[in-house]
Short mmCIF file of all heavy atoms in Angstrom, two decimals:
data_model
loop_
_atom_site.label_atom_id
_atom_site.label_comp_id
_atom_site.label_asym_id
_atom_site.label_seq_id
_atom_site.Cartn_x
_atom_site.Cartn_y
_atom_site.Cartn_z
N ASP V 21 14.65 5.00 12.23
CA ASP V 21 13.51 5.34 11.37
C ASP V 21 13.94 5.47 9.91
O ASP V 21 14.82 6.27 9.58
CB ASP V 21 12.91 6.65 11.87
CG ASP V 21 11.56 6.95 11.24
OD1 ASP V 21 11.23 6.35 10.20
OD2 ASP V 21 10.83 7.80 11.78
N TYR V 22 13.33 4.68 9.04
CA TYR V 22 13.59 4.80 7.61
C TYR V 22 12.30 4.55 6.85
O TYR V 22 11.35 3.96 7.37
CB TYR V 22 14.70 3.83 7.17
CG TYR V 22 14.26 2.38 7.03
CD1 TYR V 22 13.89 1.85 5.79
CD2 TYR V 22 14.20 1.54 8.13
CE1 TYR V 22 13.49 0.54 5.66
CE2 TYR V 22 13.80 0.22 8.02
CZ TYR V 22 13.45 -0.28 6.78
OH TYR V 22 13.04 -1.58 6.66
N ASP V 23 12.27 4.97 5.62
CA ASP V 23 11.10 4.82 4.77
C ASP V 23 11.10 3.41 4.18
O ASP V 23 11.97 3.06 3.38
CB ASP V 23 11.14 5.87 3.65
CG ASP V 23 9.90 5.85 2.76
OD1 ASP V 23 9.04 4.96 2.96
OD2 ASP V 23 9.80 6.72 1.87
N ARG V 24 10.12 2.61 4.57
CA ARG V 24 10.07 1.23 4.08
C ARG V 24 9.88 1.16 2.57
O ARG V 24 10.21 0.13 1.95
CB ARG V 24 8.94 0.47 4.80
CG ARG V 24 9.31 0.06 6.22
CD ARG V 24 8.13 -0.45 6.99
NE ARG V 24 7.25 0.65 7.41
CZ ARG V 24 6.12 0.48 8.08
NH1 ARG V 24 5.72 -0.75 8.39
NH2 ARG V 24 5.39 1.52 8.44
N ALA V 25 9.39 2.22 1.97
CA ALA V 25 9.25 2.24 0.51
C ALA V 25 10.60 2.11 -0.19
O ALA V 25 10.68 1.63 -1.32
CB ALA V 25 8.54 3.52 0.06
N LEU V 26 11.68 2.53 0.49
CA LEU V 26 13.02 2.39 -0.10
C LEU V 26 13.36 0.91 -0.30
O LEU V 26 13.91 0.52 -1.34
CB LEU V 26 14.07 3.05 0.80
CG LEU V 26 14.00 4.57 0.96
CD1 LEU V 26 15.01 5.03 2.02
CD2 LEU V 26 14.27 5.27 -0.36
N LEU V 27 13.06 0.11 0.71
CA LEU V 27 13.33 -1.33 0.61
C LEU V 27 12.41 -1.97 -0.42
O LEU V 27 12.84 -2.82 -1.22
CB LEU V 27 13.15 -1.98 1.98
CG LEU V 27 13.49 -3.47 2.08
CD1 LEU V 27 14.95 -3.72 1.73
CD2 LEU V 27 13.17 -4.01 3.46
N GLU V 28 11.15 -1.57 -0.43
CA GLU V 28 10.19 -2.13 -1.38
C GLU V 28 10.61 -1.81 -2.82
O GLU V 28 10.48 -2.66 -3.72
CB GLU V 28 8.80 -1.58 -1.10
CG GLU V 28 8.22 -2.07 0.22
CD GLU V 28 7.03 -1.25 0.69
OE1 GLU V 28 6.64 -0.31 -0.05
OE2 GLU V 28 6.51 -1.52 1.79
N ARG V 29 11.10 -0.61 -3.05
CA ARG V 29 11.53 -0.22 -4.40
C ARG V 29 12.73 -1.06 -4.84
O ARG V 29 12.80 -1.50 -5.99
CB ARG V 29 11.85 1.26 -4.44
CG ARG V 29 12.09 1.82 -5.84
CD ARG V 29 11.86 3.31 -5.91
NE ARG V 29 12.67 4.06 -4.96
CZ ARG V 29 12.16 4.78 -3.95
NH1 ARG V 29 10.84 4.84 -3.75
NH2 ARG V 29 12.95 5.44 -3.13
N ASP V 30 13.68 -1.28 -3.94
CA ASP V 30 14.84 -2.09 -4.28
C ASP V 30 14.47 -3.56 -4.52
O ASP V 30 15.12 -4.25 -5.31
CB ASP V 30 15.90 -2.01 -3.18
CG ASP V 30 16.77 -0.76 -3.30
OD1 ASP V 30 16.55 0.03 -4.24
OD2 ASP V 30 17.66 -0.58 -2.46
N ALA V 31 13.43 -4.03 -3.82
CA ALA V 31 13.04 -5.44 -3.93
C ALA V 31 12.03 -5.69 -5.04
O ALA V 31 12.12 -6.71 -5.75
CB ALA V 31 12.47 -5.92 -2.60
N TRP V 32 11.06 -4.80 -5.19
CA TRP V 32 9.94 -5.09 -6.09
C TRP V 32 9.60 -3.92 -7.00
O TRP V 32 8.50 -3.86 -7.57
CB TRP V 32 8.71 -5.48 -5.25
CG TRP V 32 8.98 -6.65 -4.36
CD1 TRP V 32 9.31 -7.91 -4.75
CD2 TRP V 32 8.97 -6.68 -2.93
NE1 TRP V 32 9.50 -8.73 -3.66
CE2 TRP V 32 9.29 -8.01 -2.52
CE3 TRP V 32 8.68 -5.73 -1.94
CZ2 TRP V 32 9.37 -8.39 -1.19
CZ3 TRP V 32 8.76 -6.11 -0.61
CH2 TRP V 32 9.10 -7.42 -0.24
N GLY V 33 10.53 -3.00 -7.15
CA GLY V 33 10.30 -1.83 -8.01
C GLY V 33 10.62 -2.12 -9.47
O GLY V 33 10.76 -3.27 -9.88
N PRO V 34 10.75 -1.05 -10.27
CA PRO V 34 11.05 -1.22 -11.70
C PRO V 34 12.33 -2.03 -11.91
O PRO V 34 13.29 -1.93 -11.14
CB PRO V 34 11.23 0.22 -12.19
CG PRO V 34 10.43 1.05 -11.22
CD PRO V 34 10.56 0.36 -9.90
N LYS V 35 12.33 -2.83 -12.96
CA LYS V 35 13.42 -3.77 -13.23
C LYS V 35 14.79 -3.09 -13.24
O LYS V 35 15.74 -3.58 -12.62
CB LYS V 35 13.16 -4.46 -14.57
CG LYS V 35 14.26 -5.41 -15.03
CD LYS V 35 13.87 -6.09 -16.34
CE LYS V 35 14.98 -6.99 -16.86
NZ LYS V 35 14.59 -7.69 -18.11
N ARG V 36 14.90 -1.97 -13.91
CA ARG V 36 16.21 -1.33 -14.07
C ARG V 36 16.82 -0.94 -12.73
O ARG V 36 18.04 -1.00 -12.55
CB ARG V 36 16.08 -0.10 -14.98
CG ARG V 36 17.41 0.61 -15.23
CD ARG V 36 17.24 1.79 -16.17
NE ARG V 36 16.79 1.36 -17.49
CZ ARG V 36 16.56 2.19 -18.49
NH1 ARG V 36 16.70 3.50 -18.32
NH2 ARG V 36 16.17 1.73 -19.67
N GLY V 37 15.98 -0.54 -11.77
CA GLY V 37 16.49 -0.07 -10.49
C GLY V 37 16.52 -1.11 -9.39
O GLY V 37 16.87 -0.80 -8.25
N ARG V 38 16.17 -2.33 -9.69
CA ARG V 38 16.14 -3.37 -8.66
C ARG V 38 17.52 -3.67 -8.12
O ARG V 38 18.47 -3.84 -8.88
CB ARG V 38 15.52 -4.66 -9.20
CG ARG V 38 14.03 -4.58 -9.30
CD ARG V 38 13.45 -5.94 -9.61
NE ARG V 38 12.01 -5.79 -9.74
CZ ARG V 38 11.13 -6.61 -9.21
NH1 ARG V 38 11.53 -7.64 -8.51
NH2 ARG V 38 9.84 -6.39 -9.38
N ARG V 39 17.61 -3.77 -6.81
CA ARG V 39 18.87 -4.10 -6.16
C ARG V 39 18.80 -5.43 -5.40
O ARG V 39 19.82 -5.91 -4.93
CB ARG V 39 19.26 -2.99 -5.18
CG ARG V 39 19.38 -1.60 -5.78
CD ARG V 39 20.48 -1.55 -6.83
NE ARG V 39 20.68 -0.21 -7.35
CZ ARG V 39 21.64 0.61 -6.96
NH1 ARG V 39 22.49 0.22 -6.01
NH2 ARG V 39 21.77 1.81 -7.49
N LEU V 40 17.59 -5.99 -5.25
CA LEU V 40 17.40 -7.20 -4.46
C LEU V 40 16.56 -8.21 -5.24
O LEU V 40 15.76 -7.83 -6.10
CB LEU V 40 16.68 -6.88 -3.14
CG LEU V 40 17.31 -5.81 -2.24
CD1 LEU V 40 16.37 -5.48 -1.09
CD2 LEU V 40 18.66 -6.27 -1.72
N PHE V 41 16.74 -9.48 -4.93
CA PHE V 41 15.89 -10.52 -5.50
C PHE V 41 15.53 -11.51 -4.41
O PHE V 41 16.21 -11.62 -3.39
CB PHE V 41 16.59 -11.23 -6.68
CG PHE V 41 17.73 -12.13 -6.28
CD1 PHE V 41 17.56 -13.51 -6.24
CD2 PHE V 41 18.98 -11.61 -5.95
CE1 PHE V 41 18.62 -14.35 -5.89
CE2 PHE V 41 20.05 -12.44 -5.60
CZ PHE V 41 19.85 -13.82 -5.57
N GLU V 42 14.43 -12.23 -4.63
CA GLU V 42 13.99 -13.23 -3.66
C GLU V 42 14.51 -14.61 -4.05
O GLU V 42 14.47 -14.99 -5.21
CB GLU V 42 12.46 -13.30 -3.61
CG GLU V 42 11.81 -12.17 -2.86
CD GLU V 42 10.33 -12.43 -2.60
OE1 GLU V 42 9.98 -13.60 -2.29
OE2 GLU V 42 9.53 -11.49 -2.71
N TYR V 43 14.99 -15.33 -3.04
CA TYR V 43 15.36 -16.72 -3.27
C TYR V 43 15.52 -17.40 -1.91
O TYR V 43 15.49 -16.75 -0.86
CB TYR V 43 16.65 -16.83 -4.09
CG TYR V 43 16.90 -18.23 -4.60
CD1 TYR V 43 15.96 -18.87 -5.41
CD2 TYR V 43 18.04 -18.94 -4.24
CE1 TYR V 43 16.16 -20.16 -5.86
CE2 TYR V 43 18.25 -20.24 -4.68
CZ TYR V 43 17.30 -20.84 -5.49
OH TYR V 43 17.49 -22.13 -5.91
N TRP V 44 15.70 -18.73 -1.97
CA TRP V 44 15.95 -19.51 -0.76
C TRP V 44 17.43 -19.41 -0.40
O TRP V 44 18.28 -19.93 -1.11
CB TRP V 44 15.55 -20.97 -0.97
CG TRP V 44 14.06 -21.14 -1.07
CD1 TRP V 44 13.32 -21.26 -2.20
CD2 TRP V 44 13.14 -21.19 0.02
NE1 TRP V 44 11.99 -21.37 -1.89
CE2 TRP V 44 11.85 -21.33 -0.53
CE3 TRP V 44 13.28 -21.12 1.41
CZ2 TRP V 44 10.71 -21.42 0.25
CZ3 TRP V 44 12.14 -21.20 2.20
CH2 TRP V 44 10.87 -21.35 1.62
N ALA V 45 17.73 -18.75 0.69
CA ALA V 45 19.11 -18.61 1.16
C ALA V 45 19.13 -19.09 2.60
O ALA V 45 19.27 -20.28 2.86
CB ALA V 45 19.58 -17.17 1.03
N HIS V 46 18.98 -18.18 3.56
CA HIS V 46 18.72 -18.60 4.94
C HIS V 46 17.19 -18.57 5.07
O HIS V 46 16.63 -17.59 5.54
CB HIS V 46 19.38 -17.65 5.94
CG HIS V 46 19.35 -18.17 7.34
ND1 HIS V 46 20.42 -18.81 7.92
CD2 HIS V 46 18.38 -18.15 8.28
CE1 HIS V 46 20.11 -19.17 9.15
NE2 HIS V 46 18.87 -18.76 9.40
N GLU V 47 16.53 -19.62 4.67
CA GLU V 47 15.10 -19.63 4.41
C GLU V 47 14.80 -18.63 3.27
O GLU V 47 15.69 -18.20 2.57
CB GLU V 47 14.31 -19.32 5.69
CG GLU V 47 14.66 -20.20 6.88
CD GLU V 47 14.45 -21.69 6.61
OE1 GLU V 47 13.57 -22.05 5.80
OE2 GLU V 47 15.19 -22.50 7.18
N ALA V 48 13.51 -18.27 3.09
CA ALA V 48 13.16 -17.32 2.04
C ALA V 48 13.76 -15.97 2.40
O ALA V 48 13.63 -15.50 3.54
CB ALA V 48 11.64 -17.20 1.93
N SER V 49 14.43 -15.34 1.44
CA SER V 49 15.21 -14.14 1.75
C SER V 49 15.19 -13.15 0.60
O SER V 49 14.97 -13.52 -0.56
CB SER V 49 16.67 -14.51 2.05
OG SER V 49 16.78 -15.45 3.09
N LEU V 50 15.44 -11.89 0.95
CA LEU V 50 15.79 -10.86 -0.02
C LEU V 50 17.31 -10.77 -0.04
O LEU V 50 17.95 -10.62 1.01
CB LEU V 50 15.20 -9.51 0.38
CG LEU V 50 13.71 -9.32 0.17
CD1 LEU V 50 13.23 -8.03 0.83
CD2 LEU V 50 13.35 -9.31 -1.32
N LEU V 51 17.89 -10.86 -1.24
CA LEU V 51 19.34 -10.93 -1.39
C LEU V 51 19.84 -9.83 -2.31
O LEU V 51 19.15 -9.45 -3.26
CB LEU V 51 19.74 -12.28 -1.99
CG LEU V 51 19.42 -13.49 -1.14
CD1 LEU V 51 18.92 -14.64 -1.99
CD2 LEU V 51 20.64 -13.91 -0.36
N PRO V 52 21.05 -9.31 -2.06
CA PRO V 52 21.64 -8.34 -3.00
C PRO V 52 21.75 -8.95 -4.40
O PRO V 52 22.11 -10.12 -4.55
CB PRO V 52 23.02 -8.06 -2.40
CG PRO V 52 22.91 -8.42 -0.96
CD PRO V 52 21.93 -9.56 -0.90
N MET V 53 21.43 -8.16 -5.40
CA MET V 53 21.35 -8.67 -6.76
C MET V 53 22.67 -9.27 -7.25
O MET V 53 22.68 -10.20 -8.06
CB MET V 53 20.90 -7.54 -7.70
CG MET V 53 20.42 -8.01 -9.05
SD MET V 53 18.92 -9.04 -8.99
CE MET V 53 17.64 -7.81 -8.69
N ASP V 54 23.81 -8.78 -6.73
CA ASP V 54 25.09 -9.31 -7.22
C ASP V 54 25.31 -10.76 -6.81
O ASP V 54 26.20 -11.44 -7.36
CB ASP V 54 26.25 -8.44 -6.71
CG ASP V 54 26.45 -8.55 -5.21
OD1 ASP V 54 25.58 -8.07 -4.46
OD2 ASP V 54 27.46 -9.13 -4.78
N LEU V 55 24.50 -11.28 -5.88
CA LEU V 55 24.63 -12.68 -5.48
C LEU V 55 23.85 -13.63 -6.39
O LEU V 55 23.98 -14.85 -6.27
CB LEU V 55 24.16 -12.87 -4.03
CG LEU V 55 25.10 -12.35 -2.93
CD1 LEU V 55 24.51 -12.64 -1.56
CD2 LEU V 55 26.49 -12.97 -3.05
N HIS V 56 23.04 -13.08 -7.30
CA HIS V 56 22.22 -13.96 -8.15
C HIS V 56 23.04 -15.02 -8.88
O HIS V 56 22.69 -16.22 -8.83
CB HIS V 56 21.40 -13.12 -9.14
CG HIS V 56 20.41 -13.92 -9.92
ND1 HIS V 56 20.73 -14.55 -11.11
CD2 HIS V 56 19.12 -14.23 -9.69
CE1 HIS V 56 19.68 -15.19 -11.57
NE2 HIS V 56 18.68 -15.01 -10.73
N PRO V 57 24.15 -14.66 -9.54
CA PRO V 57 24.93 -15.71 -10.22
C PRO V 57 25.44 -16.79 -9.27
O PRO V 57 25.63 -17.94 -9.68
CB PRO V 57 26.09 -14.94 -10.86
CG PRO V 57 25.61 -13.53 -10.98
CD PRO V 57 24.72 -13.32 -9.78
N HIS V 58 25.63 -16.43 -8.00
CA HIS V 58 26.23 -17.36 -7.05
C HIS V 58 25.21 -18.30 -6.41
O HIS V 58 25.58 -19.13 -5.56
CB HIS V 58 27.00 -16.57 -6.00
CG HIS V 58 28.05 -15.69 -6.60
ND1 HIS V 58 29.17 -16.18 -7.23
CD2 HIS V 58 28.12 -14.33 -6.72
CE1 HIS V 58 29.90 -15.18 -7.69
NE2 HIS V 58 29.28 -14.06 -7.40
N PHE V 59 23.95 -18.17 -6.80
CA PHE V 59 22.93 -19.13 -6.38
C PHE V 59 22.43 -19.99 -7.55
O PHE V 59 21.56 -20.83 -7.37
CB PHE V 59 21.75 -18.41 -5.72
CG PHE V 59 21.99 -18.08 -4.28
CD1 PHE V 59 22.46 -16.83 -3.92
CD2 PHE V 59 21.79 -19.01 -3.27
CE1 PHE V 59 22.72 -16.51 -2.59
CE2 PHE V 59 22.04 -18.72 -1.95
CZ PHE V 59 22.50 -17.46 -1.60
N ARG V 60 23.01 -19.78 -8.72
CA ARG V 60 22.53 -20.54 -9.88
C ARG V 60 22.86 -22.02 -9.78
O ARG V 60 22.15 -22.86 -10.33
CB ARG V 60 23.09 -19.92 -11.16
CG ARG V 60 22.52 -18.55 -11.47
CD ARG V 60 23.13 -17.94 -12.72
NE ARG V 60 22.78 -16.52 -12.83
CZ ARG V 60 23.42 -15.66 -13.61
NH1 ARG V 60 24.44 -16.07 -14.36
NH2 ARG V 60 23.06 -14.39 -13.66
N TRP V 61 23.95 -22.36 -9.08
CA TRP V 61 24.25 -23.79 -8.86
C TRP V 61 23.13 -24.45 -8.06
O TRP V 61 22.76 -25.61 -8.33
CB TRP V 61 25.59 -23.96 -8.14
CG TRP V 61 25.59 -23.36 -6.76
CD1 TRP V 61 25.86 -22.07 -6.42
CD2 TRP V 61 25.28 -24.03 -5.53
NE1 TRP V 61 25.74 -21.88 -5.06
CE2 TRP V 61 25.38 -23.07 -4.49
CE3 TRP V 61 24.93 -25.35 -5.21
CZ2 TRP V 61 25.15 -23.39 -3.16
CZ3 TRP V 61 24.70 -25.67 -3.87
CH2 TRP V 61 24.81 -24.68 -2.87
N ARG V 62 22.56 -23.72 -7.09
CA ARG V 62 21.46 -24.26 -6.29
C ARG V 62 20.21 -24.37 -7.16
O ARG V 62 19.46 -25.34 -7.08
CB ARG V 62 21.22 -23.39 -5.06
CG ARG V 62 20.14 -23.90 -4.13
CD ARG V 62 20.08 -23.08 -2.85
NE ARG V 62 21.19 -23.40 -1.95
CZ ARG V 62 21.44 -22.76 -0.81
NH1 ARG V 62 20.68 -21.73 -0.44
NH2 ARG V 62 22.47 -23.12 -0.06
N MET V 63 19.98 -23.36 -7.99
CA MET V 63 18.84 -23.40 -8.90
C MET V 63 18.96 -24.59 -9.85
O MET V 63 17.96 -25.28 -10.12
CB MET V 63 18.76 -22.09 -9.69
CG MET V 63 18.50 -20.86 -8.84
SD MET V 63 18.65 -19.32 -9.82
CE MET V 63 18.51 -18.08 -8.52
N ALA V 64 20.17 -24.83 -10.36
CA ALA V 64 20.38 -25.94 -11.29
C ALA V 64 20.14 -27.28 -10.60
O ALA V 64 19.56 -28.21 -11.19
CB ALA V 64 21.80 -25.88 -11.85
#
């Protein structure tokens, strides 16, 4: 049991506190923010 609002805040909350971003990884996914630079080759 956990509060789903915790996940929502990390994914879609205020910019400064965001820990997750959406992108195509294993299909559409929520990913840890530190992986963002490592998907830029796919974006390019």
